Structure formats: structure tokens, C-alpha cells
Amino acid sequence: MVNRLALFAVIIFAMATGATSAPAPSMGDILKASPPGAWRAIDPAETLYLDLPAGRVIIELAPAFAPHHVDNIKLLVRAGFFDGLAVVRVQDNYVAQWGDSDAAKPLGGAQKSLKAEFDRSYAPRLLFTTLPDKDVYAPVVGFSDGFPTARDPSAHRAWLAHCYGMVGVGRDVSADSGSGMELYAVIGHAPRHLDRNVALVGRVVRGIELLSALPRGTGDLGFYKTPAERTPIIRVRLAADLPPAERTPLEALRTNTPTFAALLQNRRFRSDDWYKRAAGRIDLCNMPLPVRAVTAR
Amino acid sequence: MVNRLALFAVIIFAMATGATSAPAPSMGDILKASPPGAWRAIDPAETLYLDLPAGRVIIELAPAFAPHHVDNIKLLVRAGFFDGLAVVRVQDNYVAQWGDSDAAKPLGGAQKSLKAEFDRSYAPRLLFTTLPDKDVYAPVVGFSDGFPTARDPSAHRAWLAHCYGMVGVGRDVSADSGSGMELYAVIGHAPRHLDRNVALVGRVVRGIELLSALPRGTGDLGFYKTPAERTPIIRVRLAADLPPAERTPLEALRTNTPTFAALLQNRRFRSDDWYKRAAGRIDLCNMPLPVRAVTAR
């Protein structure tokens, strides 16, 4: 512990002074030096497990941004709605999509359509750490407790951004036609033009490769042409509904901490020997949002 | 043909007048209406076929940006250097990498290291169509004859941008250590921090899903832990070196044409009924760069 704090002090000192005599700490160094308080347990009550034959995809839900959609998805999950459905669409450089809005399955009291939750007001106030760099799509971007987030200060609105791994609610043409019965995860370059057109409800924090490495569908929009090509869903569960032995406890780096600030600088100014030119800036969707297994301390 | 030209006239008229009474043409409409001169044949002398067991990945080389690296890669290809090597690394949301800088294989006169070609001067003049939107990483971005490109007007430098599907030359710590014996393709959110740190040599124009859907390596940096996990390379050939019957003739939409300008507006302002809010801008790496099969006319 002493070593960890000492290293952290060095990092903060180096950041404060701009000292360049010692080699800059790596991302691993920064994380290793992080104090326990820089991390928060990911709440099992806001965590989905999408269990596929190849393993578990873990999604942290974002009730702060789409509370009614998140509630509806929990009702569907608790009714076993997704169990036995499938990943039906994998479109290269875009999304993997699962579920079925037309499935004749128990809904557990969930609604079949919900009013749009594409953005939200600033109040009640959001945790927000502003990224100092430009963004192509939004006036201001940053991080809200581990989620990539955009804001429009003039309109006092905030919304989640369609970065890699973000999870959204498929919908029909009407803005108010989404329910959570069909969900997708981004598996390509951030399709930020979808921002504020879709309710984003969370982020894949483990196992995105179980979706991103699936065979691409060869039908329109990457839908599989035959049911045989689909990847079956064994079950979807809320972590809190499983006995502790079946959970995968995780914690996320708080994005309003000195550790995250150090990491952000590290990513904006790559300083290891391989880089000949540090960008000096970073795209919102290129910033790692660290998540780690909870280990006994 | 008459219909195609008529539709194209409507599109151009709508663009010029900002007319909104008729439904805006779709991307498909715009491409269908494009005159033949809006397309250029992709030169077989600048086209690589990376033949994998699952199919053919087609790469258009970019000699305008990295002439010595492109020449070196052609020597390697003609010596059969890549044949029997493998895809050795697939790192999620980053790159798929193939080849081997240490392979004891015939080099065909190719160099084992080359001076860096990370950017180039404006002169001789490049075709360049400026994107009107901001960019996080570069002062100016746009399209150079089908390649996503960045510029720094104050330094009179231009360079290819690390968008999805771009192909680069792996190198060691020294800037001058790349050869083309190891190549990678971007399979995730654009790692633009690599711009000007690597020689980009081309773009995958067909078959990127044969790389992006490969299983991720579980070793450091996505390297496969065992040779058995690797995807073997059947062969790499220059299209021009194959008999016509074995080629896959393609043409690329010229990015300095009214068709491309119409397409760009269409992508910046999504106007179909599904979109409730058009972004009004686009990230360089979100712009489709259409390629199509050459069909008998």
C-alpha cells in the first residue's frame, strides 16, 4: 500500500509540475497506484448478464439517463423475456443486436413501447468531468460516472454518446416505439449520428468481444438470413437476482478522480518511446473507461 | 441511363436550392443516379488480395502517401513472402495484424526497414475534398481520391487518417523500423492517436469482416497465445499479377465529384423518417467511401 501511494504521489507531482526528467508513468502504473476510493463497485442492481454459449457479456445500466427504459428492461429480464431468444443481427462496423420486439413471450408487466428518453436535463445535477478536447458532434463532451456523455450547455441537456460498447434500445420509426425488447451494442466506429435518436441504456463493461467477433449477418443491415446463423441467448439476468456465487463482481474507475485525470493526460499525451508524436488530444470514444474484477483485499 | 441522369439532376437541384418539398434522396438513390465518370477503376497494380481460408480481403494501396513502403510491400508480395504466414493478432476495438518481421522467407529484394513515411508535403498537389466539419485530431480533414486524409495547412503536410479499415505498417520503437513485413488493419473505433506515428499504406475496400470477425487473441495486445489459433494466409497477390479471371474488379467513387458531395450532405443531414434529429455534421471516419463491383455495361 505504501508503494502504491508513493507511486501515485509521484504521478500527481509529475502532472502538477510537468516534470519530464523521469519516464512518464504508464497507464498500468497509474491504475496500480490508484487508491481504493478511486473505484466504485458496479451495482448488481444495475448490472445485466447476457449469457451466450461462449460466455458472459456484462452490461452496466444507466438509469440516470433512461430511467423508464432501464426499469422496463428489468421487468423483461425478470420475466425471462430474453431467455431462448438470440443475437439476430451483426452489422460490421456498426452494431450487434439481440431480442425480438414481436416475441410472444411473457413481458412481466413491461410496456411494449415507451416515451423517448434520448436526452435529459442537467437537473438533478449529473456528475460530469469535461473532456478538454473538441468533439465533432456535441458542444461539450466528457464522462458521467463512467459513461461517455455529451452536453449542450445552451439547452441544458445531456445525453449518452454512441461510443464502442454502448448499449441502446432498438425502435421503430416513431420516437416513442422503443421498449428494450430489442437491444444493440456498438461494435464499430462510434455512430454518433445516432446520439439523441435512440435511448442509450448502458455500456458493455466485460465481454464485448463475444458480440464484436460474431460472424456478420449477410442480410440487409447485417441481419442473419436464417435462424440457424443466430447466436442463442442462454439467459439474461440482473446480477442482483443471482446468488453471489454466480455473480461477476466488478468495479469501475470513478471518472471524477485524480486517477482518471492522470489517465486522461496519459492517453492525450502518449509518452512511451514508441510514439514519435503525441496527439495532445483525444476523441471521447477513444478514452478507456477502466473496469476491473473485485479481488479480496 | 436517362432515368439515372434525370434523378441525378433532381438531386443536384435539390442540393442547390435546399428544396425540401420532395423526400430527400437516399444514399442508394444518389449512388444509382451517379454518372459513370463519378467512379474510377481501382488500379490492379495498386491492389492487394489477402486470401484467407474464409475468403478474399482486398486492399487498395496508397502510393501517393507511402511510396517506398508500398513498393517494398509489392516486392514482398511478389516473392511470396506472406504465403503461409498468418493473422497473428486480433485486438478487440483496435487492429488485426498479419505477417512476421522475423520470418525466414524470401524477401525478393525488399528492405527489412525503411525510412518513416508518416506524412507528406502538399506538393505535388493532392486531390483533396475538404470535410466542412471539425476534427478532434487535425486542423483540416477530408478525402483524397477515396482515402480519409488529414492536413496541417500551416506546416503544409498531409497524412492518411486511421479510420476503420485502414491498413498500416507495424514497426518497432524506431520510426525507421517498418518494412511492410507486418501489416495491420483497423477493426475498431479509429485510433487516430496513431496518425503520423505509422506509415499507412492503404485501405481495405472489400472483406474487412474477414478480419474484424476473427476471434480475439487472449495474449498481450491481442496476440494469439498459440499458433493453432492463428488464421493462415493462403497467399497475398497483387491483382495485376493474376490472370483477369482470378481478379475481383472494383471501382471506387471519386471523392471530388458532385455525387460524393451529395452523399456527404446525405450523411451529414440524415433525413429519412427514422431520424428525429440530424447531426448536421459527420466524423471523417463515419463517411462511407463507396466501392462497387465492376459490372458489364
Side-chain angles (χ1 to χ4, degrees):
Chain A
M1 178 60 98
V2 170
N3 284 345
R4 188 165 64 184
L5 288 179
L7 174 56
F8 195 67
V10 168
I11 292 165
I12 298 299
F13 176 78
M15 286 178 63
T17 60
T20 54
S21 52
S26 71
M27 189 161 136
D29 293 337
I30 294 169
L31 292 176
K32 217 179 297 174
S34 63
W39 300 81
R40 63 175 172 83
I42 297 184
D43 185 352
E46 305 297 349
T47 303
L48 289 187
Y49 296 152
L50 165 60
D51 286 333
L52 302 176
R56 176 170 281 180
V57 179
I58 306 181
I59 297 164
E60 179 176 15
L61 296 168
F65 287 88
H68 296 104
H69 283 73
V70 165
D71 281 349
N72 213 54
I73 291 167
K74 288 180 186 175
L75 291 174
L76 291 167
V77 165
R78 287 184 160 139
F81 173 80
F82 293 100
D83 306 0
L85 295 180
V87 182
V88 294
R89 172 192 184 193
V90 182
Q91 185 172 356
D92 195 64
N93 192 20
Y94 199 47
V95 298
Q97 186 174 320
W98 63 95
D100 181 355
S101 288
D102 299 319
K105 300 260 297 180
L107 300 184
Q111 301 301 305
K112 293 190 91 161
S113 62
L114 293 172
K115 248 184 101 58
E117 293 179 305
F118 298 163
D119 58 12
R120 52 160 284 172
S121 75
Y122 278 17
R125 283 184 68 76
L126 281 175
L127 277 179
F128 191 82
T129 301
T130 301
L131 179 70
D133 302 310
K134 286 193 291 193
D135 183 73
V136 175
Y137 291 90
V140 178
V141 291
F143 308 93
S144 181
D145 217 11
F147 290 97
T149 305
R151 313 177 78 154
D152 179 352
S154 66
H156 287 269
R157 305 298 290 175
W159 59 94
L160 294 176
H162 271 85
C163 295
Y164 194 89
M166 291 297 286
V167 175
V169 168
R171 65 163 172 85
D172 212 329
V173 169
S174 158
D176 301 332
S177 60
S179 67
M181 296 162 77
E182 283 180 298
L183 297 170
Y184 64 85
V186 173
I187 59 159
H189 189 77
R192 297 280 310 279
H193 51 278
L194 296 177
D195 288 4
R196 306 182 89 181
N197 281 293
V198 170
L200 284 170
V201 291
R203 185 170 86 88
V204 175
V205 291
R206 274 284 189 282
I208 184 69
E209 70 282 0
L210 299 174
L211 296 169
S212 60
L214 288 175
R216 278 42 181 161
T218 55
D220 285 349
L221 304 175
F223 280 93
Y224 292 115
K225 284 181 174 166
T226 63
E229 296 169 274
R230 298 175 181 165
T231 299
I233 294 171
I234 297 172
R235 62 177 193 179
V236 177
R237 289 291 177 274
L238 205 62
D241 291 346
L242 291 181
E246 292 180 39
R247 296 184 197 168
T248 310
L250 297 175
E251 47 190 22
L253 183 65
R254 294 180 189 275
T255 44
N256 59 340
T257 56
T259 299
F260 186 76
L263 210 59
L264 184 59
Q265 286 306 91
N266 173 282
R267 295 291 92 181
R268 296 173 74 230
F269 295 89
R270 306 284 185 122
S271 57
D272 64 84
D273 290 345
W274 190 86
Y275 281 90
K276 305 311 169 193
R277 181 186 293 267
R281 47 189 76 95
I282 193 167
D283 181 312
L284 174 70
C285 293
N286 269 326
M287 184 60 202
L289 298 167
V291 167
R292 67 182 185 186
V294 175
T295 51
R297 270 191 291 264
Chain B
M1 180 61 97
V2 170
N3 283 344
R4 187 165 63 184
L5 288 180
L7 175 56
F8 195 67
V10 168
I11 292 166
I12 297 298
F13 176 77
M15 286 179 61
T17 60
T20 54
S21 53
S26 72
M27 188 160 136
D29 293 337
I30 294 169
L31 291 177
K32 217 179 297 174
S34 63
W39 299 82
R40 62 176 172 82
I42 297 185
D43 185 353
E46 305 297 347
T47 302
L48 289 187
Y49 295 152
L50 165 60
D51 286 333
L52 302 177
R56 176 170 282 180
V57 180
I58 306 181
I59 297 163
E60 179 177 15
L61 296 168
F65 286 87
H68 296 105
H69 283 72
V70 166
D71 281 348
N72 213 53
I73 290 167
K74 289 180 185 175
L75 291 174
L76 291 167
V77 165
R78 286 184 160 139
F81 173 79
F82 293 100
D83 305 1
L85 295 181
V87 181
V88 294
R89 172 192 185 194
V90 182
Q91 184 172 357
D92 194 64
N93 192 20
Y94 199 47
V95 298
Q97 186 175 318
W98 63 93
D100 181 356
S101 288
D102 299 318
K105 300 260 297 180
L107 300 184
Q111 302 299 307
K112 293 191 93 161
S113 63
L114 293 172
K115 248 183 102 55
E117 292 179 306
F118 298 163
D119 58 11
R120 53 159 283 170
S121 75
Y122 277 18
R125 283 186 68 75
L126 280 176
L127 276 179
F128 191 82
T129 301
T130 302
L131 179 70
D133 302 311
K134 286 192 292 196
D135 183 71
V136 175
Y137 291 90
V140 178
V141 291
F143 306 94
S144 182
D145 216 12
F147 290 97
T149 305
R151 313 177 77 154
D152 180 352
S154 67
H156 287 269
R157 306 298 291 175
W159 58 95
L160 294 176
H162 271 86
C163 295
Y164 194 89
M166 292 296 288
V167 175
V169 169
R171 66 163 170 86
D172 212 329
V173 169
S174 158
D176 301 332
S177 61
S179 66
M181 295 162 78
E182 283 180 299
L183 297 169
Y184 64 86
V186 173
I187 59 159
H189 189 78
R192 298 281 307 281
H193 50 278
L194 297 177
D195 288 4
R196 307 182 89 179
N197 280 292
V198 170
L200 285 170
V201 291
R203 185 170 86 89
V204 175
V205 291
R206 272 284 189 279
I208 183 70
E209 70 282 1
L210 298 174
L211 296 170
S212 61
L214 289 175
R216 277 43 181 161
T218 55
D220 285 349
L221 305 175
F223 280 93
Y224 292 114
K225 285 182 174 166
T226 63
E229 295 170 275
R230 299 175 179 165
T231 299
I233 295 171
I234 298 172
R235 63 177 192 179
V236 178
R237 289 291 177 274
L238 205 63
D241 291 345
L242 291 181
E246 291 179 39
R247 297 184 196 168
T248 310
L250 297 175
E251 48 190 22
L253 183 65
R254 295 179 189 275
T255 44
N256 59 339
T257 56
T259 298
F260 186 76
L263 209 58
L264 183 61
Q265 285 307 91
N266 174 283
R267 296 291 92 181
R268 297 173 74 229
F269 294 90
R270 304 283 185 124
S271 57
D272 64 83
D273 289 344
W274 189 88
Y275 281 90
K276 305 311 169 193
R277 182 186 292 269
R281 48 189 76 95
I282 194 167
D283 181 311
L284 174 70
C285 294
N286 270 325
M287 185 59 201
L289 299 168
V291 167
R292 68 182 185 186
V294 176
T295 51
R297 270 191 287 264

